[in-house]
Amino acid sequence: MRLRALLDTDALGLRLLGGGDELDRTVRGVMTTDLRDPSRYLSGGELVLTGLAWRRDAADSEPFVRLLVAAGVTALAAGEAELGDVPEDLVVACARHRLPLFAVNESVAFATITEHVVRQVSGERAGDLAAVVDRHRRMMTSGPAGGGPDVVLDLLGSDLDLRAWVLSPAGRLVAGPKGAGPALPAELRARLSAEHLAATRTGRRGPHRVAVGTTTYSLFPIGGVGRDPDSGGAPRDVRETLLSDWLLAVEADAGDWPAERLDLLHGVTQLIAVERDRRDAARTVRRRLAQEILELVQAGAAPAEIAARLRVAAPVLLPGLGAAPHWQVVVARVEWEGGEVDSGPVTQALLEEILVDPLSTGPEPSDRIAVAHTGEEAIALVPLPAVSSEHDGSESGIHADALLTAVRGPLSAGLDDDGRLTLGVSAAVHSAEGLRGALEEARHARRVAAARSGRVCAAGHQELASHVLLLPFVPDDVRRAFTARLLDPLRDYDRRHRAELIPTLEAFLECDGSWTRCAARLHLHVNTLRYRVGRIEQLTGRDLSRLEDKLDFFLALRMS
């Protein structure tokens, strides 16, 4: 706002004492001070309000005004409540330095002027920012991206004094303000993401407000892929996009914001969503590469053919690497009770979000992986830079326990009481010949994870060394004794009663102990399934709710 507008507002009780030619100056803020040197607290453009307590004699006015001018202050307003008329030496000093000077009537509180200036300046800044955001949105929807989320976050900080961050569902920092105070700690990011996911599952509309200590954060959802065009852009089912959509966390309480500011922030989220959708579209090539390689591996193609596809994929996933990478495989599955949601695309989008170097920021690092999905399963090919000869690469790359630690808290809130995520991680392999084994290894690890309790579970290749990978080395007589002890009672019962306990056991383990999915797969009522499982437990003396017994049955079936 301009000084002229302040002078024309009668309720502010301002009287011009000097600087009539400078009334078109812009006011960008307000500060009240009685310090002899307030310059360290000034950033330029302020209207400074003072009660003149800093003034002891006439000689003090000149240095005080000189400091204000050096700091870029727009104008000075002196109160008449303490000394009566504003001293002439202050009027002269302001005239000498061309600093506009106002007298504030003793009946007007400085707080009244402050509130008026803040309200007017914030409104004008919001209008300016809205125009910038609108121009940026039009530019991004019609042409190349205009800088991504960082640009609009910088605008929020510079024009509205709002610190904001774009976070992934697992709490990864996608974008944040530059040089605006301390970074957002990982623990806080994880909590904000968890609170957002939990609130979204309840059906409440954003923004969701979260109090952390003395600070309140407002969480705005950022829509992404998976929208139904026939429903006005709304998701068909929130679970289709819940685990992959970003959120905007703003360090402010939006509960008392005017509608105009809320509309502006919703516009900001739409702008970031455009960039998000653009990035997702760019992943099409990587997804296609992953699908082609996966099909070759599963079809038993020659290693030379797989290696050729990997050579094509490497420069796309790791441009400029200059050496053939090692590879890891991560297999994941998201399961929802009821089965209404197609979990393959959900898991694919989730893997693309969480398989990112935790030390990196921005959306680009997540483009260094290729994720395909087949059925309910998503499979990620993760390239690893080639290591030196004294290392074999076994300690590099993704570790199941670290991955679990990073994502379990936030994603458990999104999965709530009807969803589950299980992950399996392979060891690094050095060639196309090892890729099929890595895929099987990751799948076995995921099944081990699925046998555990919890909404989010992960297992790595190290955990397979004691059973699956050692099965070929178990003596035949030991294998036969082990399987006979567990499975012979069931086979005998099936022969006598045609009860199909063995197929039921296989299906139950393949469905990771999910009653509803297993019953649907076998076309049984859940009560019938419970009766069969109970009969299995009675005949074998085992408990299929225990991890150890599930693993024993799994191994017995594998060895039989």
Side-chain angles (χ1 to χ4, degrees), residues 266-498:
H266 286 303
V268 168
T269 63
Q270 293 170 10
L271 181 59
I272 297 172
V274 170
E275 183 68 10
R276 167 68 190 276
D277 288 346
R278 189 186 304 279
R279 190 212 58 181
D280 286 340
R283 283 179 168 167
T284 303
V285 173
R286 287 178 290 277
R287 288 175 175 175
R288 186 181 300 119
L289 284 172
Q291 195 71 42
E292 291 175 356
I293 295 169
L294 177 63
E295 290 173 357
L296 289 174
V297 170
Q298 295 188 127
E305 186 177 359
I306 299 174
R309 297 306 301 163
L310 289 176
R311 285 194 295 272
V312 172
V316 175
L317 300 178
L318 288 178
L321 183 64
H326 304 306
W327 297 88
Q328 265 185 294
V329 176
V330 179
V331 174
R333 179 180 289 180
V334 172
E335 299 163 283
W336 302 103
E337 293 293 337
E340 301 93 348
V341 178
D342 184 2
S343 62
V346 172
T347 314
Q348 180 183 44
L350 176 60
L351 269 187
E352 290 172 335
E353 282 299 323
I354 66 177
L355 293 182
V356 181
D357 183 349
L359 298 179
S360 65
T361 59
E364 294 80 7
S366 61
D367 292 338
R368 295 176 183 168
I369 58 172
V371 183
H373 74 84
T374 173
E376 297 180 339
E377 204 174 55
I379 301 168
L381 299 176
V382 183
L384 305 174
V387 295
S388 58
S389 57
E390 62 267 21
H391 296 88
D392 63 3
S394 60
E395 296 302 319
S396 63
I398 296 170
H399 294 264
D401 52 353
L403 184 61
L404 182 62
T405 300
V407 305
R408 178 166 47 195
L411 295 184
S412 294
L415 293 163
D416 197 20
D417 60 354
D418 63 343
R420 195 157 190 255
L421 168 66
T422 51
L423 299 133
V425 181
S426 80
V429 295
H430 306 175
S431 64
E433 288 85 349
L435 204 55
R436 182 178 179 84
L439 175 58
E440 289 303 315
E441 191 174 61
R443 280 177 164 160
H444 285 314
R446 194 206 65 78
R447 292 191 186 104
V448 171
R452 297 169 177 167
S453 60
R455 289 290 161 193
V456 182
C457 297
H461 63 95
Q462 303 91 339
E463 301 176 63
L464 303 181
S466 63
H467 37 78
V468 175
L469 295 185
L470 294 180
L471 290 183
F473 302 98
V474 177
D476 288 343
D477 56 340
V478 175
R479 291 158 63 98
R480 282 193 294 269
F482 181 77
T483 57
R485 186 168 60 252
L486 279 177
L487 301 184
D488 279 359
L490 306 182
R491 291 182 178 129
D492 292 341
Y493 193 89
D494 281 348
R495 278 195 298 268
R496 293 195 309 270
H497 302 282
R498 297 181 180 179

